[in-house]
Amino acid sequence: MRLSCSLSRMRRNLLDTLLNSPDLQTIIGLREWIALPELGVVGLRAKIDTGASTSALHATDISEFERGGKRWVRFTAHLGTLVQRRHRCEAPVIARKTIKSSNGHVQTRYVVRTLLALGDHLWPVEFTLTCRKTMRYRLLLGSKALMDGKWLVDPARTYVQEKPQTLTSPGAQ
């Protein structure tokens, strides 16, 4: 009993130290507001999932085309859960990847790379495009993106970072 109380106290002290450190901006919660400025997407709630290696974006109407001798995809990004907003996007194809979901379902998806804004950080992230209409969050931020962004996740907190600055999104419907 004494050992568990001591560990609990140590954990609280470590968390207090982290939360009060000058490096607070590196901490994110289980859910955060993000933007994808190159795609014109703003105000999207993301679920942080350290158990998923790859990030995923809810997309439909996906079609491949060629531009400048390279493969691109055109797709509709779906934003919001209660109020559905759609935004038509285009991005170069990085790869096609076979993903096995936690329930064992295997699917081949397009992979695109775009800038992600979270708080005042901006960095390139790879996303697979997939239908997430049955999921609560339209964007899943996986561990590879979190490592690239150098984030520390506190699953007991949500919306730790400020919303990224709004952008104009001329394609939003």
Side-chain angles (χ1 to χ4, degrees):
M1 182 67 164
R2 184 176 289 245
L3 179 61
S4 66
C5 289
S6 177
L7 286 174
S8 180
R9 191 175 317 115
M10 285 173 51
R11 194 175 301 145
R12 271 196 314 272
N13 289 341
L14 177 60
L15 184 58
D16 286 341
T17 301
L18 286 172
L19 292 176
N20 295 318
S21 76
D23 214 13
L24 176 62
Q25 71 275 6
T26 63
I27 297 174
I28 58 174
L30 191 59
R31 295 179 243 353
E32 292 289 343
W33 289 103
I34 63 99
L36 304 172
E38 292 177 318
L39 299 178
V41 173
V42 296
L44 186 56
R45 291 184 316 150
K47 169 113 188 274
I48 311 306
D49 187 352
T50 59
S53 67
T54 308
S55 299
L57 175 64
H58 178 38
T60 59
D61 307 319
I62 302 168
S63 61
E64 186 176 329
F65 67 99
E66 190 174 305
R67 177 180 289 161
K70 299 195 179 200
R71 294 183 321 153
W72 283 62
V73 284
R74 218 175 255 119
F75 58 95
T76 301
H78 294 262
L79 320 170
T81 48
L82 298 176
V83 176
Q84 271 292 318
R85 293 180 296 136
R86 293 182 297 257
H87 183 73
R88 202 68 180 141
C89 303
E90 293 181 352
V93 174
I94 300 302
R96 286 189 64 140
K97 188 171 187 175
T98 301
I99 303 288
K100 185 175 182 180
S101 69
S102 57
N103 65 8
H105 185 270
V106 176
Q107 182 183 48
T108 301
R109 303 177 186 173
Y110 286 101
V111 179
V112 299
R113 180 182 298 125
T114 190
L115 289 176
L116 180 130
L118 196 167
D120 61 359
H121 289 66
L122 185 69
W123 76 103
V125 174
E126 290 185 1
F127 291 95
T128 63
L129 303 178
T130 186
C131 180
R132 293 182 53 81
K133 71 180 177 187
T134 60
M135 306 296 178
R136 186 174 197 175
Y137 296 92
R138 302 304 187 210
L139 187 136
L140 186 76
L141 204 55
S143 61
K144 286 181 185 174
L146 299 171
M147 288 186 292
D148 291 345
K150 297 184 171 79
W151 293 104
L152 176 63
V153 181
D154 180 351
R157 300 175 70 194
T158 57
Y159 306 109
V160 175
Q161 297 295 315
E162 294 290 323
K163 265 188 181 181
Q165 293 299 313
T166 58
L167 308 163
T168 57
S169 51
Q173 299 177 1

